[in-house]
Amino acid sequence: MAAKIVVDAGHGGSNPGAVYQGRRESDDALRLAMAVGKILEANGYDVSYTRTSDVTQSVGQKAAIANEEGADLFVSIHRNAGQYPGQYDGVQTLIYNDSGIKKEIAEKIDANLAALGFRDLGISLRPNLVVLNSTQMPALLVEAGFIDSDKDNQLFDSKFQAIAQAIADGIMGTLEEQTVTSSAVEEEEMEERHRFPMRPVPPMPPEKPLPPMEPEELYRVQAGAFRERANADNLLQLLENDGFPAFIVYQDGLYKVQVGAFSRLSNAIAMEREVREKGYNTYITT
């Protein structure tokens, strides 16, 4: 049995992740992460969370929490999104490379979720993701269906507890077969990770709930707008790697990559200045 598992709810706070018809990825991820964690705790696992409320975190901060906890396993919960609403449906788990216990856990999780009615999109290798390449333990990122798929949302809502159980069972079923320690991360994987050294991260903000987002009243810094989701994803990853709370909004047929959400224009201007200094083309929108 693993000594400690860190469960991460993706995005949070001013970074809602994917948004569809008022539904925010950060909210779904938090609910599911907490439900998975409770099941693991009930079965004797030592569980910590990157967040337990709607707070803003960079991906670097999430990885830093897991490393500071000395975790044996890191599991990040997300919802996926397509290039346009309804284009895709299904579940998928992302891992750093195609080896080790993380792959076994990913396969079990995807199979368990497929048994609930989701389409299994299989495992995807994503060595460029900070939460996968900067964590010092086996790590995986679960995409629990597409937030812009009505089919997946219906499954997510109607079978929510079963989904949490399916993810937890995938983790526990593998860990019961072998003991996970920090040495379980393969030497080959560690050597590859040296190509992605973890960036220094700023101190964590105080953990307190943020007020509900009201997009029509908030100022945001926009760094790009694309018709292809893949282009927006690439820019999103660059901004997150630089520590900015970036997210994607689908609007008017475009995937808009934005940073922050501020009630005061002066705060948005300050953020835009920081983003521009990193070389991005930006403007402020509401």
Side-chain angles (χ1 to χ4, degrees), residues 91 108-121 155 166:
V91 294
K108 284 187 171 66
I109 289 175
D110 287 351
N112 290 347
L113 292 174
L116 295 177
F118 288 100
R119 187 158 65 102
D120 184 358
L121 299 177
L155 284 170

Side-chain angles (χ1 to χ4, degrees), residues 8-11 18 23-33 35-36 75-81 88-94 106 109-110 112-114 116-122 140-168:
D8 167 51
H11 307 287
R23 185 169 191 149
R24 307 193 310 172
E25 179 183 1
S26 58
D27 296 334
D28 283 357
L30 179 58
R31 285 181 59 219
L32 187 54
V36 171
V75 182
S76 185
I77 306 296
H78 287 251
R79 302 284 316 274
N80 217 334
Y88 299 117
D89 63 85
V91 294
Q92 186 174 46
T93 301
L94 315 182
I109 289 175
D110 287 351
N112 290 347
L113 292 174
L116 295 177
F118 288 100
R119 187 158 65 102
D120 184 358
L121 299 177
L140 53 153
L141 187 155
V142 180
E143 297 278 14
F146 281 73
I147 199 169
D148 55 3
S149 162
D150 292 336
K151 173 189 173 184
D152 281 359
N153 285 339
Q154 191 278 329
L155 284 170
F156 188 92
D157 294 335
S158 65
K159 299 185 177 182
F160 177 80
Q161 194 58 38
I163 292 168
Q165 189 70 52
I167 295 172

Side-chain angles (χ1 to χ4, degrees), residues 207-248:
E207 184 164 337
K208 60 180 180 181
L210 296 182
M213 293 184 64
E214 298 180 5
E216 69 278 5
E217 298 179 3
L218 300 179
Y219 298 98
R220 304 181 185 191
V221 177
Q222 185 156 309
F226 307 91
R227 294 197 179 278
E228 296 295 328
R229 173 66 190 243
N231 294 331
D233 285 338
N234 289 338
L235 179 57
L236 175 71
Q237 185 64 53
L238 291 173
L239 287 163
E240 288 185 335
N241 287 349
D242 282 331
F244 294 114
F247 54 92
I248 296 174

Side-chain angles (χ1 to χ4, degrees), residues 190-207:
M190 290 301 293
E191 289 176 1
E192 287 194 46
R193 289 188 182 195
H194 291 162
R195 295 159 43 205
F196 301 93
M198 186 169 177
R199 298 167 181 263
V201 297
M204 290 290 296
E207 184 164 337

Side-chain angles (χ1 to χ4, degrees), residues 162-182:
I163 292 168
Q165 189 70 52
I167 295 172
D169 285 346
I171 296 168
M172 296 186 295
T174 307
L175 297 184
E176 288 172 1
E177 297 172 359
Q178 55 183 294
T179 301
V180 181
T181 65
S182 59

